[in-house]
Amino acid sequence: QLTMSLNSPTLLNEENAQGAKRNTECMESLLQSPSFIQDNPLQQLQLASQEVLEKAKKSGRSKCPRCNSSRMFYCYTCFVPVETVPTKEIPTVKLPLKIDIIKHPNETDGKSTAVHAKLLAPDDVTIYKYPCIPEYEEKRHEIALIFPGPNSVSVKDIAFHLQKYAKKGVCSSDDDCSREPLPKQAKIESEEEKNPNECISSHRSEGTRLKKIIFIDSTWNQTNKIITDERLQGLLQIELKTRKTCFWRHQKGKPDTYLSTIEAIYYFLVDYHQEILKESYKGQYDNLLFFFSFMYTLIKDAKCCAGKE
């Protein structure tokens, strides 16, 4: 488990000079090896300085400023950094659309990468715990669900398929389409800001009509209960078919194109930026992998020094 790895003496406590030297040499060798460079697509990310995470790693677990629980780097229940990780030193990412994450009730909080999105893009990400999710029916013309399936389409085809929903006149001028449907429990964060006229046909191109993306946060074996929920029926489904996961908890028996939640969010946004917004990608969303990439390196380091690489 990740928690065990992060709390191991190898990672958190340099018990003696010899151990520290061995770790450093091992890590340097790992980072310089051709196999690591080839297998680590995260290496080229344009990230904010991770020095704050390096310092937190050395000092060990710290208290959550809200619930006082002992955590490493951040509290996965309160969605805030711990006391040794100042919020001002954590990057903030502005997203081109809103994101809802529906979390399975049995998904272990400490193992989920969904919290990374909330920590790094707090103004644009909302996390719900199933079965407490909004009603999406009246906004199908501006929402899509990221999930592989027989009816899923690629990112580049979003505009074409959303036109079908828009032509049905889902939003009429008499409706208050700006109002967020009330979830069956209160959101943890504040309501997102909306323009009452945004849902009405505007001067925007068809490609920018999409306003919200839904992600399901659970193990692949637990997704059936959520994906078959009537509130998600009829939504446009998007599949990310060309990316391969780097997640250290990849589930056995599943293809390597099944991504962790934060990977799916990141790769979708990169594709959306290029395919829909038609803009060159220059690392605008790379910091969404700020925590993920750091933990990836920690895990690789631990495996290397344990003789498992």
Side-chain angles (χ1 to χ4, degrees):
Q1 292 184 354
L2 178 60
T3 304
M4 295 175 62
S5 299
L6 291 178
N7 286 284
S8 67
T10 303
L11 294 177
L12 298 180
N13 300 309
E14 297 180 358
E15 294 181 340
N16 51 59
Q18 182 178 1
K21 182 179 179 181
R22 182 172 63 253
N23 290 346
T24 301
E25 291 175 347
C26 178
M27 191 60 188
E28 289 177 350
S29 174
L30 173 66
L31 293 175
Q32 294 172 1
S33 67
S35 61
F36 178 83
I37 295 175
Q38 181 179 358
D39 296 339
N40 183 13
L42 307 178
Q43 185 186 23
Q44 303 301 322
L45 295 173
Q46 299 179 43
L47 299 172
S49 172
Q50 294 176 320
E51 183 178 359
V52 63
L53 300 182
E54 288 285 356
K55 291 179 180 178
K57 180 191 72 173
K58 292 177 181 178
S59 62
R61 298 170 72 90
S62 180
K63 286 186 178 181
C64 167
R66 292 187 182 177
C67 69
N68 290 323
S69 297
S70 177
R71 300 280 189 256
M72 193 68 187
F73 302 129
Y74 55 82
C75 180
Y76 44 75
T77 52
C78 299
F79 305 153
V80 294
V82 294
E83 293 178 346
T84 54
V85 182
T87 303
K88 64 182 180 180
E89 296 187 43
I90 299 299
T92 299
V93 184
K94 181 62 181 175
L95 307 185
L97 35 69
K98 301 298 183 181
I99 288 178
D100 281 359
I101 300 174
I102 302 174
K103 186 176 179 297
H104 193 283
N106 294 336
E107 176 70 2
T108 304
D109 290 340
K111 294 183 178 181
S112 171
T113 63
V115 63
H116 297 182
K118 183 59 186 173
L119 283 162
L120 298 164
D123 294 337
D124 297 316
V125 175
T126 304
I127 297 179
Y128 296 96
K129 194 167 188 178
Y130 187 83
C132 302
I133 62 176
E135 299 285 349
Y136 294 112
E137 184 175 1
E138 293 184 359
K139 295 193 174 185
R140 289 180 183 174
H141 62 296
E142 58 185 34
I143 297 176
L145 171 66
I146 303 297
F147 196 81
N151 298 319
S152 297
V153 303
S154 63
V155 174
K156 67 179 180 179
D157 293 327
I158 289 177
F160 172 77
H161 289 278
L162 280 183
Q163 288 181 38
K164 301 175 184 177
Y165 295 91
K167 290 178 181 178
K168 293 179 180 179
V170 181
C171 256
S172 69
S173 58
D174 295 329
D175 293 331
D176 180 13
C177 301
S178 67
R179 184 189 52 194
E180 184 75 16
L182 293 176
K184 295 181 180 178
Q185 72 173 20
K187 293 181 184 178
I188 298 173
E189 52 278 358
S190 61
E191 292 290 331
E192 56 196 53
E193 297 178 359
K194 295 241 178 189
N195 183 332
N197 297 318
E198 278 186 354
C199 66
I200 302 173
S201 180
S202 66
H203 296 295
R204 289 183 172 189
S205 67
E206 293 293 335
T208 57
R209 190 179 297 275
L210 183 67
K211 296 192 182 77
K212 179 174 289 186
I213 290 291
I214 303 169
F215 292 84
I216 295 175
D217 184 51
S218 74
T219 63
W220 288 102
N221 292 331
Q222 294 173 337
T223 56
N224 186 63
K225 184 174 183 178
I226 297 178
I227 196 62
T228 55
D229 188 287
E230 61 180 6
R231 290 167 290 182
L232 298 181
Q233 302 312 301
L235 292 175
L236 178 65
Q237 287 187 210
I238 312 297
E239 183 171 2
L240 307 174
K241 301 179 181 180
T242 62
R243 310 290 189 174
K244 293 184 178 181
T245 186
C246 291
F247 196 33
W248 45 90
R249 291 199 187 91
H250 181 64
Q251 298 169 54
K252 293 182 179 180
K254 302 299 180 182
D256 57 7
T257 53
Y258 279 26
L259 307 171
S260 66
T261 302
I262 194 62
E263 287 178 301
I265 292 173
Y266 169 73
Y267 285 126
F268 167 80
L269 289 171
V270 172
D271 289 347
Y272 177 84
H273 195 85
Q274 296 172 317
E275 299 284 354
I276 304 301
L277 300 184
K278 301 296 182 183
E279 298 177 13
S280 59
Y281 183 70
K282 299 179 180 179
Q284 291 91 332
Y285 314 121
D286 283 10
N287 275 321
L288 285 175
L289 298 179
F290 181 76
F291 292 105
F292 184 88
S293 63
F294 188 80
M295 292 178 178
Y296 174 86
T297 301
L298 285 184
I299 303 301
K300 294 284 287 187
D301 182 21
K303 288 183 178 180
C304 165
C305 297
K308 295 181 180 179
E309 285 290 332

